[in-house]
PDB file of all heavy atoms in Angstrom:
ATOM      1  N   LEU A   4      34.631 189.344-177.379  1.00 86.00           N
ATOM      2  CA  LEU A   4      35.276 189.229-178.755  1.00 86.00           C
ATOM      3  C   LEU A   4      36.637 189.745-178.791  1.00 86.00           C
ATOM      4  O   LEU A   4      37.545 189.147-179.299  1.00 86.00           O
ATOM      5  CB  LEU A   4      34.326 190.019-179.760  1.00 86.00           C
ATOM      6  CG  LEU A   4      33.355 189.209-180.502  1.00 86.00           C
ATOM      7  CD1 LEU A   4      32.462 190.217-181.346  1.00 86.00           C
ATOM      8  CD2 LEU A   4      33.970 188.169-181.423  1.00 86.00           C
ATOM      9  N   LEU A   5      36.917 190.965-178.319  1.00 88.00           N
ATOM     10  CA  LEU A   5      38.091 191.566-178.385  1.00 88.00           C
ATOM     11  C   LEU A   5      39.196 191.000-177.492  1.00 88.00           C
ATOM     12  O   LEU A   5      40.301 190.713-177.913  1.00 88.00           O
ATOM     13  CB  LEU A   5      38.101 192.971-177.809  1.00 88.00           C
ATOM     14  CG  LEU A   5      37.141 193.833-178.884  1.00 88.00           C
ATOM     15  CD1 LEU A   5      37.086 195.401-178.174  1.00 88.00           C
ATOM     16  CD2 LEU A   5      37.818 194.022-180.218  1.00 88.00           C
ATOM     17  N   SER A   6      38.765 190.440-176.153  1.00 90.00           N
ATOM     18  CA  SER A   6      39.748 189.746-175.464  1.00 90.00           C
ATOM     19  C   SER A   6      40.182 188.489-176.008  1.00 90.00           C
ATOM     20  O   SER A   6      41.363 188.082-175.920  1.00 90.00           O
ATOM     21  CB  SER A   6      39.152 189.611-173.900  1.00 90.00           C
ATOM     22  OG  SER A   6      37.940 188.868-174.118  1.00 90.00           O
ATOM     23  N   ALA A   7      39.243 187.713-176.709  1.00 88.00           N
ATOM     24  CA  ALA A   7      39.633 186.535-177.282  1.00 88.00           C
ATOM     25  C   ALA A   7      40.573 186.812-178.419  1.00 88.00           C
ATOM     26  O   ALA A   7      41.572 186.105-178.666  1.00 88.00           O
ATOM     27  CB  ALA A   7      38.397 185.741-177.660  1.00 88.00           C
ATOM     28  N   PHE A   8      40.323 187.846-179.211  1.00 90.00           N
ATOM     29  CA  PHE A   8      41.215 188.012-180.295  1.00 90.00           C
ATOM     30  C   PHE A   8      42.649 188.508-179.864  1.00 90.00           C
ATOM     31  O   PHE A   8      43.610 187.975-180.500  1.00 90.00           O
ATOM     32  CB  PHE A   8      40.657 189.276-181.173  1.00 90.00           C
ATOM     33  CG  PHE A   8      41.411 189.655-182.233  1.00 90.00           C
ATOM     34  CD1 PHE A   8      41.374 188.837-183.541  1.00 90.00           C
ATOM     35  CD2 PHE A   8      42.174 190.918-182.275  1.00 90.00           C
ATOM     36  CE1 PHE A   8      42.154 189.311-184.584  1.00 90.00           C
ATOM     37  CE2 PHE A   8      42.950 191.196-183.464  1.00 90.00           C
ATOM     38  CZ  PHE A   8      43.008 190.364-184.554  1.00 90.00           C
ATOM     39  N   PHE A   9      42.789 189.267-178.861  1.00 92.00           N
ATOM     40  CA  PHE A   9      44.124 189.600-178.371  1.00 92.00           C
ATOM     41  C   PHE A   9      44.799 188.408-177.714  1.00 92.00           C
ATOM     42  O   PHE A   9      46.054 188.306-177.971  1.00 92.00           O
ATOM     43  CB  PHE A   9      44.036 190.712-177.371  1.00 92.00           C
ATOM     44  CG  PHE A   9      43.524 192.076-177.953  1.00 92.00           C
ATOM     45  CD1 PHE A   9      42.536 192.793-177.359  1.00 92.00           C
ATOM     46  CD2 PHE A   9      44.044 192.552-179.082  1.00 92.00           C
ATOM     47  CE1 PHE A   9      42.174 194.082-178.019  1.00 92.00           C
ATOM     48  CE2 PHE A   9      43.800 193.837-179.656  1.00 92.00           C
ATOM     49  CZ  PHE A   9      42.777 194.500-179.108  1.00 92.00           C
ATOM     50  N   VAL A  10      44.086 187.582-177.075  1.00 90.00           N
ATOM     51  CA  VAL A  10      44.775 186.441-176.524  1.00 90.00           C
ATOM     52  C   VAL A  10      45.128 185.547-177.518  1.00 90.00           C
ATOM     53  O   VAL A  10      46.331 184.881-177.557  1.00 90.00           O
ATOM     54  CB  VAL A  10      43.788 185.733-175.482  1.00 90.00           C
ATOM     55  CG1 VAL A  10      44.329 184.332-175.076  1.00 90.00           C
ATOM     56  CG2 VAL A  10      43.598 186.503-174.310  1.00 90.00           C
ATOM     57  N   LEU A  11      44.500 185.296-178.591  1.00 91.00           N
ATOM     58  CA  LEU A  11      44.725 184.564-179.754  1.00 91.00           C
ATOM     59  C   LEU A  11      46.024 184.992-180.406  1.00 91.00           C
ATOM     60  O   LEU A  11      46.847 184.130-180.798  1.00 91.00           O
ATOM     61  CB  LEU A  11      43.661 184.637-180.747  1.00 91.00           C
ATOM     62  CG  LEU A  11      43.627 183.450-181.925  1.00 91.00           C
ATOM     63  CD1 LEU A  11      43.693 182.158-181.324  1.00 91.00           C
ATOM     64  CD2 LEU A  11      42.492 183.725-182.776  1.00 91.00           C
ATOM     65  N   ILE A  12      46.317 186.281-180.567  1.00 92.00           N
ATOM     66  CA  ILE A  12      47.548 186.708-181.073  1.00 92.00           C
ATOM     67  C   ILE A  12      48.712 186.390-180.165  1.00 92.00           C
ATOM     68  O   ILE A  12      49.747 186.003-180.679  1.00 92.00           O
ATOM     69  CB  ILE A  12      47.434 188.285-181.156  1.00 92.00           C
ATOM     70  CG1 ILE A  12      46.520 188.666-182.191  1.00 92.00           C
ATOM     71  CG2 ILE A  12      48.824 188.838-181.602  1.00 92.00           C
ATOM     72  CD1 ILE A  12      46.258 190.212-182.321  1.00 92.00           C
ATOM     73  N   GLY A  13      48.431 186.490-178.896  1.00 90.00           N
ATOM     74  CA  GLY A  13      49.426 186.170-177.893  1.00 90.00           C
ATOM     75  C   GLY A  13      49.762 184.723-177.830  1.00 90.00           C
ATOM     76  O   GLY A  13      51.054 184.260-177.849  1.00 90.00           O
ATOM     77  N   VAL A  14      48.828 183.858-178.083  1.00 89.00           N
ATOM     78  CA  VAL A  14      49.097 182.474-178.186  1.00 89.00           C
ATOM     79  C   VAL A  14      49.831 182.024-179.357  1.00 89.00           C
ATOM     80  O   VAL A  14      50.796 181.156-179.356  1.00 89.00           O
ATOM     81  CB  VAL A  14      47.788 181.741-178.158  1.00 89.00           C
ATOM     82  CG1 VAL A  14      47.927 180.175-178.540  1.00 89.00           C
ATOM     83  CG2 VAL A  14      47.005 181.751-176.778  1.00 89.00           C
ATOM     84  N   PHE A  15      49.572 182.798-180.428  1.00 91.00           N
ATOM     85  CA  PHE A  15      50.263 182.413-181.712  1.00 91.00           C
ATOM     86  C   PHE A  15      51.747 182.636-181.520  1.00 91.00           C
ATOM     87  O   PHE A  15      52.696 181.770-181.831  1.00 91.00           O
ATOM     88  CB  PHE A  15      49.669 183.233-182.782  1.00 91.00           C
ATOM     89  CG  PHE A  15      50.576 183.155-184.118  1.00 91.00           C
ATOM     90  CD1 PHE A  15      50.458 182.027-184.901  1.00 91.00           C
ATOM     91  CD2 PHE A  15      51.384 184.132-184.465  1.00 91.00           C
ATOM     92  CE1 PHE A  15      51.022 181.846-186.133  1.00 91.00           C
ATOM     93  CE2 PHE A  15      52.243 184.056-185.613  1.00 91.00           C
ATOM     94  CZ  PHE A  15      52.079 182.878-186.377  1.00 91.00           C
ATOM     95  N   PHE A  16      52.192 183.833-180.985  1.00 91.00           N
ATOM     96  CA  PHE A  16      53.703 184.121-180.844  1.00 91.00           C
ATOM     97  C   PHE A  16      54.242 183.235-179.839  1.00 91.00           C
ATOM     98  O   PHE A  16      55.459 182.812-179.955  1.00 91.00           O
ATOM     99  CB  PHE A  16      53.778 185.664-180.459  1.00 91.00           C
ATOM    100  CG  PHE A  16      53.570 186.531-181.604  1.00 91.00           C
ATOM    101  CD1 PHE A  16      52.380 187.342-181.655  1.00 91.00           C
ATOM    102  CD2 PHE A  16      54.346 186.701-182.635  1.00 91.00           C
ATOM    103  CE1 PHE A  16      52.259 188.200-182.771  1.00 91.00           C
ATOM    104  CE2 PHE A  16      54.254 187.608-183.686  1.00 91.00           C
ATOM    105  CZ  PHE A  16      53.089 188.324-183.684  1.00 91.00           C
ATOM    106  N   PHE A  17      53.514 182.772-178.691  1.00 88.00           N
ATOM    107  CA  PHE A  17      54.228 182.090-177.753  1.00 88.00           C
ATOM    108  C   PHE A  17      54.402 180.653-178.274  1.00 88.00           C
ATOM    109  O   PHE A  17      55.470 180.033-178.256  1.00 88.00           O
ATOM    110  CB  PHE A  17      53.208 181.901-176.599  1.00 88.00           C
ATOM    111  CG  PHE A  17      53.889 181.072-175.538  1.00 88.00           C
ATOM    112  CD1 PHE A  17      54.850 181.615-174.697  1.00 88.00           C
ATOM    113  CD2 PHE A  17      53.327 179.839-175.309  1.00 88.00           C
ATOM    114  CE1 PHE A  17      55.358 180.804-173.671  1.00 88.00           C
ATOM    115  CE2 PHE A  17      53.876 178.948-174.181  1.00 88.00           C
ATOM    116  CZ  PHE A  17      54.907 179.425-173.462  1.00 88.00           C
ATOM    117  N   VAL A  18      53.342 180.014-178.977  1.00 86.00           N
ATOM    118  CA  VAL A  18      53.592 178.718-179.557  1.00 86.00           C
ATOM    119  C   VAL A  18      54.508 178.715-180.773  1.00 86.00           C
ATOM    120  O   VAL A  18      55.286 177.637-180.819  1.00 86.00           O
ATOM    121  CB  VAL A  18      52.160 178.071-179.978  1.00 86.00           C
ATOM    122  CG1 VAL A  18      52.414 176.794-180.585  1.00 86.00           C
ATOM    123  CG2 VAL A  18      51.375 177.962-178.703  1.00 86.00           C
ATOM    124  N   ALA A  19      54.503 179.890-181.415  1.00 87.00           N
ATOM    125  CA  ALA A  19      55.451 179.850-182.646  1.00 87.00           C
ATOM    126  C   ALA A  19      56.888 179.712-182.123  1.00 87.00           C
ATOM    127  O   ALA A  19      57.816 179.337-182.931  1.00 87.00           O
ATOM    128  CB  ALA A  19      55.146 181.104-183.444  1.00 87.00           C
ATOM    129  N   TRP A  20      57.121 180.270-180.923  1.00 87.00           N
ATOM    130  CA  TRP A  20      58.406 180.223-180.437  1.00 87.00           C
ATOM    131  C   TRP A  20      58.933 178.786-180.302  1.00 87.00           C
ATOM    132  O   TRP A  20      60.239 178.580-180.408  1.00 87.00           O
ATOM    133  CB  TRP A  20      58.487 180.922-178.977  1.00 87.00           C
ATOM    134  CG  TRP A  20      59.863 181.060-178.463  1.00 87.00           C
ATOM    135  CD1 TRP A  20      61.095 181.284-179.129  1.00 87.00           C
ATOM    136  CD2 TRP A  20      60.153 181.176-177.087  1.00 87.00           C
ATOM    137  NE1 TRP A  20      62.073 181.375-178.204  1.00 87.00           N
ATOM    138  CE2 TRP A  20      61.604 181.472-177.030  1.00 87.00           C
ATOM    139  CE3 TRP A  20      59.439 181.075-175.872  1.00 87.00           C
ATOM    140  CZ2 TRP A  20      62.146 181.443-175.699  1.00 87.00           C
ATOM    141  CZ3 TRP A  20      60.028 181.106-174.696  1.00 87.00           C
ATOM    142  CH2 TRP A  20      61.366 181.303-174.713  1.00 87.00           C
ATOM    143  N   PHE A  21      58.168 177.806-180.176  1.00 82.00           N
ATOM    144  CA  PHE A  21      58.531 176.458-180.026  1.00 82.00           C
ATOM    145  C   PHE A  21      58.352 175.752-181.467  1.00 82.00           C
ATOM    146  O   PHE A  21      59.207 174.969-181.800  1.00 82.00           O
ATOM    147  CB  PHE A  21      57.761 175.714-178.927  1.00 82.00           C
ATOM    148  CG  PHE A  21      58.000 176.280-177.674  1.00 82.00           C
ATOM    149  CD1 PHE A  21      56.940 177.232-177.117  1.00 82.00           C
ATOM    150  CD2 PHE A  21      58.876 175.905-176.834  1.00 82.00           C
ATOM    151  CE1 PHE A  21      57.145 177.693-175.772  1.00 82.00           C
ATOM    152  CE2 PHE A  21      59.132 176.441-175.460  1.00 82.00           C
ATOM    153  CZ  PHE A  21      58.337 177.300-175.054  1.00 82.00           C
ATOM    154  N   ASP A  22      57.183 175.973-182.086  1.00 80.00           N
ATOM    155  CA  ASP A  22      56.880 175.270-183.377  1.00 80.00           C
ATOM    156  C   ASP A  22      56.000 176.103-184.151  1.00 80.00           C
ATOM    157  O   ASP A  22      54.693 176.403-183.822  1.00 80.00           O
ATOM    158  CB  ASP A  22      56.321 173.904-183.116  1.00 80.00           C
ATOM    159  CG  ASP A  22      56.458 173.088-184.341  1.00 80.00           C
ATOM    160  OD1 ASP A  22      55.789 173.423-185.409  1.00 80.00           O
ATOM    161  OD2 ASP A  22      57.116 171.969-184.289  1.00 80.00           O
ATOM    162  N   LEU A  23      56.456 176.723-185.202  1.00 85.00           N
ATOM    163  CA  LEU A  23      55.570 177.665-186.058  1.00 85.00           C
ATOM    164  C   LEU A  23      54.471 176.827-186.734  1.00 85.00           C
ATOM    165  O   LEU A  23      53.294 177.515-186.796  1.00 85.00           O
ATOM    166  CB  LEU A  23      56.496 178.227-187.113  1.00 85.00           C
ATOM    167  CG  LEU A  23      55.830 179.251-188.071  1.00 85.00           C
ATOM    168  CD1 LEU A  23      55.230 180.368-187.355  1.00 85.00           C
ATOM    169  CD2 LEU A  23      56.783 179.698-189.252  1.00 85.00           C
ATOM    170  N   GLN A  24      54.701 175.696-187.068  1.00 84.00           N
ATOM    171  CA  GLN A  24      53.629 174.906-187.865  1.00 84.00           C
ATOM    172  C   GLN A  24      52.486 174.685-186.932  1.00 84.00           C
ATOM    173  O   GLN A  24      51.242 174.852-187.332  1.00 84.00           O
ATOM    174  CB  GLN A  24      54.258 173.584-188.335  1.00 84.00           C
ATOM    175  CG  GLN A  24      53.168 172.614-188.966  1.00 84.00           C
ATOM    176  CD  GLN A  24      53.680 171.369-189.433  1.00 84.00           C
ATOM    177  OE1 GLN A  24      54.699 170.903-189.083  1.00 84.00           O
ATOM    178  NE2 GLN A  24      52.811 170.567-190.044  1.00 84.00           N
ATOM    179  N   ILE A  25      52.684 174.225-185.740  1.00 85.00           N
ATOM    180  CA  ILE A  25      51.590 173.970-184.691  1.00 85.00           C
ATOM    181  C   ILE A  25      50.950 175.344-184.422  1.00 85.00           C
ATOM    182  O   ILE A  25      49.699 175.316-184.221  1.00 85.00           O
ATOM    183  CB  ILE A  25      52.061 173.298-183.567  1.00 85.00           C
ATOM    184  CG1 ILE A  25      52.740 171.956-183.890  1.00 85.00           C
ATOM    185  CG2 ILE A  25      51.126 173.270-182.444  1.00 85.00           C
ATOM    186  CD1 ILE A  25      53.124 171.112-182.699  1.00 85.00           C
ATOM    187  N   ALA A  26      51.699 176.403-184.269  1.00 87.00           N
ATOM    188  CA  ALA A  26      51.157 177.781-183.976  1.00 87.00           C
ATOM    189  C   ALA A  26      50.181 178.096-185.134  1.00 87.00           C
ATOM    190  O   ALA A  26      49.057 178.666-184.904  1.00 87.00           O
ATOM    191  CB  ALA A  26      52.134 178.813-183.857  1.00 87.00           C
ATOM    192  N   ILE A  27      50.606 177.795-186.337  1.00 90.00           N
ATOM    193  CA  ILE A  27      49.696 178.275-187.560  1.00 90.00           C
ATOM    194  C   ILE A  27      48.417 177.452-187.501  1.00 90.00           C
ATOM    195  O   ILE A  27      47.324 177.944-187.699  1.00 90.00           O
ATOM    196  CB  ILE A  27      50.517 178.166-188.772  1.00 90.00           C
ATOM    197  CG1 ILE A  27      51.551 179.129-188.820  1.00 90.00           C
ATOM    198  CG2 ILE A  27      49.476 178.327-189.958  1.00 90.00           C
ATOM    199  CD1 ILE A  27      52.482 179.100-190.116  1.00 90.00           C
ATOM    200  N   ILE A  28      48.572 176.076-187.243  1.00 88.00           N
ATOM    201  CA  ILE A  28      47.536 175.278-187.311  1.00 88.00           C
ATOM    202  C   ILE A  28      46.503 175.515-186.180  1.00 88.00           C
ATOM    203  O   ILE A  28      45.248 175.666-186.294  1.00 88.00           O
ATOM    204  CB  ILE A  28      47.871 173.689-187.200  1.00 88.00           C
ATOM    205  CG1 ILE A  28      48.612 173.394-188.509  1.00 88.00           C
ATOM    206  CG2 ILE A  28      46.564 172.754-187.144  1.00 88.00           C
ATOM    207  CD1 ILE A  28      49.194 171.979-188.568  1.00 88.00           C
ATOM    208  N   LEU A  29      46.910 175.607-184.919  1.00 88.00           N
ATOM    209  CA  LEU A  29      46.277 175.902-183.791  1.00 88.00           C
ATOM    210  C   LEU A  29      45.633 177.218-183.835  1.00 88.00           C
ATOM    211  O   LEU A  29      44.301 177.366-183.649  1.00 88.00           O
ATOM    212  CB  LEU A  29      47.134 175.864-182.460  1.00 88.00           C
ATOM    213  CG  LEU A  29      46.364 176.228-181.146  1.00 88.00           C
ATOM    214  CD1 LEU A  29      45.329 175.375-180.821  1.00 88.00           C
ATOM    215  CD2 LEU A  29      47.569 176.260-179.994  1.00 88.00           C
ATOM    216  N   CYS A  30      46.211 178.349-184.106  1.00 89.00           N
ATOM    217  CA  CYS A  30      45.647 179.674-184.101  1.00 89.00           C
ATOM    218  C   CYS A  30      44.729 179.885-185.342  1.00 89.00           C
ATOM    219  O   CYS A  30      43.594 180.555-185.179  1.00 89.00           O
ATOM    220  CB  CYS A  30      46.709 180.707-183.955  1.00 89.00           C
ATOM    221  SG  CYS A  30      47.621 180.660-182.489  1.00 89.00           S
ATOM    222  N   SER A  31      45.007 179.318-186.484  1.00 91.00           N
ATOM    223  CA  SER A  31      44.162 179.450-187.507  1.00 91.00           C
ATOM    224  C   SER A  31      42.789 178.765-187.410  1.00 91.00           C
ATOM    225  O   SER A  31      41.748 179.252-187.802  1.00 91.00           O
ATOM    226  CB  SER A  31      44.793 178.923-188.839  1.00 91.00           C
ATOM    227  OG  SER A  31      45.091 177.570-188.684  1.00 91.00           O
TER     228      SER A  31
END
């Protein structure tokens, strides 16, 4: 649970660097 949550936060910031909209859709 915890590892997935922390990785999810990291994925959001990384993808948002390229495209915020896709980062929001993917991570949400």
Side-chain angles (χ1 to χ4, degrees):
L4 266 178
L5 294 176
S6 58
F8 179 73
F9 290 132
V10 170
L11 194 58
I12 295 175
V14 169
F15 174 77
F16 285 106
F17 180 78
V18 176
W20 187 28
F21 297 99
D22 195 297
L23 180 61
Q24 179 186 4
I25 292 181
I27 293 174
I28 294 173
L29 173 61
C30 293
S31 61

